[in-house]
Amino acid sequence: SQKIEQNSEALNIQEGKTATLTCNYTNYSPAYLQWYRQDPGRGPVFLLLIRENEKEKRKERLKVTFDTTLKQSLFHITASQPADSATYLCAPTGRRALTFGSGTRLQVQP
Amino acid sequence: GAGVSQTPSNKVTEKGKYVELRCDPISGHTALYWYRQSLGQGPEFLIYFQGTGAADDSGLPNDRFFAVRPEGSVSTLKIQRTERGDSAVYLCASSLSTGGGALNTGELFFGEGSRLTVL
């Protein structure tokens, strides 16, 4: 069955450093992969979408890579800020509705 | 409003009762999704509507769960004979449909969710 793995342990980093979050998937070949941010008690908010024929996508301080051979996406936040603290969800998109990973909680210390 | 609206925001009910959760999507969005999220987990897919029809209901856990979208806009998720294990946040999302078929390339716009607690 399809499986999405994100590091369940929280990632703690210092302000100003680059945060790197990992999303691995197995048993399917998504055409797209999306990343969402979720704050406590709120619904997820879309951040970036990357297609299978794109190796990298950037938006302001965010960068996403998509390696279809490794079945992995990396999500980077450069010059991180305490306001970036949240849970980040990846969603490899196949032939059905979005399926989400369990998310990785990022904590940026001032 | 401009965003996805979900009501009620909180619902406490007793085991065995019937519950309805409502979702009002962004105007013009033809695709509507229901997800369920437990603490520490990602959203779990339940059902997806394209217009009035359920395009994919494979995520509904059993026949106690049912959803409708009679006019292609507002949707209601219905849970019969609630169980304690149904306690979760129920999230609704909508998106612009990018064409026919099951492949959806659009971003989802989520509501704030309805927190259901079954005692």
Side-chain angles (χ1 to χ4, degrees):
Chain A
S1 61
Q2 298 177 1
K3 193 174 179 183
I4 303 166
E5 291 184 350
Q6 293 187 257
N7 194 341
S8 58
E9 292 196 11
L11 178 63
N12 290 286
I13 64 168
Q14 284 296 120
E15 182 176 7
K17 301 291 186 184
T18 296
T20 298
L21 285 68
T22 305
C23 175
N24 295 295
Y25 58 91
T26 55
N27 295 331
Y28 69 125
S29 299
Y32 307 82
L33 192 146
Q34 300 186 25
W35 283 89
Y36 287 75
R37 168 185 172 139
Q38 188 172 26
D39 292 284
R42 310 296 296 273
V45 174
F46 172 81
L47 295 174
L48 279 170
L49 178 151
I50 185 166
R51 294 176 172 78
E52 61 179 342
N53 61 351
E54 297 175 316
K55 290 282 192 261
E56 182 179 297
K57 197 82 167 277
R58 291 176 184 262
K59 180 183 176 182
E60 297 173 354
R61 295 185 296 111
L62 308 181
K63 184 179 86 170
V64 171
T65 63
F66 191 11
D67 189 326
T68 55
T69 301
L70 290 179
K71 294 187 181 293
Q72 179 181 80
S73 176
L74 298 178
F75 177 82
H76 307 271
I77 306 175
T78 58
S80 60
Q81 304 167 0
D84 295 327
S85 299
T87 295
Y88 291 85
L89 302 161
C90 75
T93 307
R95 294 184 57 81
R96 53 174 291 181
L98 282 185
T99 304
F100 288 87
S102 57
T104 297
R105 189 164 63 85
L106 173 66
Q107 188 69 38
V108 180
Q109 307 290 346
Chain B
V4 176
S5 176
Q6 291 189 246
T7 54
S9 55
N10 276 287
K11 176 71 177 179
V12 180
T13 191
E14 293 179 343
K15 181 174 176 294
K17 298 290 188 184
Y18 170 80
V19 165
E20 287 190 354
L21 306 175
R22 175 189 165 108
C23 174
D24 200 340
I26 292 173
S27 178
H29 281 192
T30 58
L32 184 145
Y33 305 78
W34 283 100
Y35 288 85
R36 176 170 72 174
Q37 188 172 29
S38 300
L39 194 62
Q41 301 297 312
E44 172 195 4
F45 170 73
L46 296 176
I47 186 169
Y48 153 54
F49 287 90
Q50 183 61 45
T52 60
D56 184 351
D57 65 357
S58 61
L60 294 177
N62 52 59
D63 61 6
R64 295 187 298 104
F65 288 75
F66 190 70
V68 295
R69 195 186 185 198
E71 297 177 358
S73 178
V74 171
S75 175
T76 304
L77 178 66
K78 307 181 181 195
I79 311 174
Q80 298 178 322
R81 304 183 304 281
T82 51
E83 300 177 357
R84 292 193 180 88
D86 299 334
S87 297
V89 175
Y90 289 81
L91 293 164
C92 176
S94 68
S95 73
L96 286 168
S97 177
T98 58
L103 188 60
N104 185 332
T105 63
E107 67 178 273
L108 300 190
F109 294 82
F110 281 87
E112 302 289 43
S114 292
R115 180 177 297 279
L116 175 65
T117 303
V118 182
L119 301 177

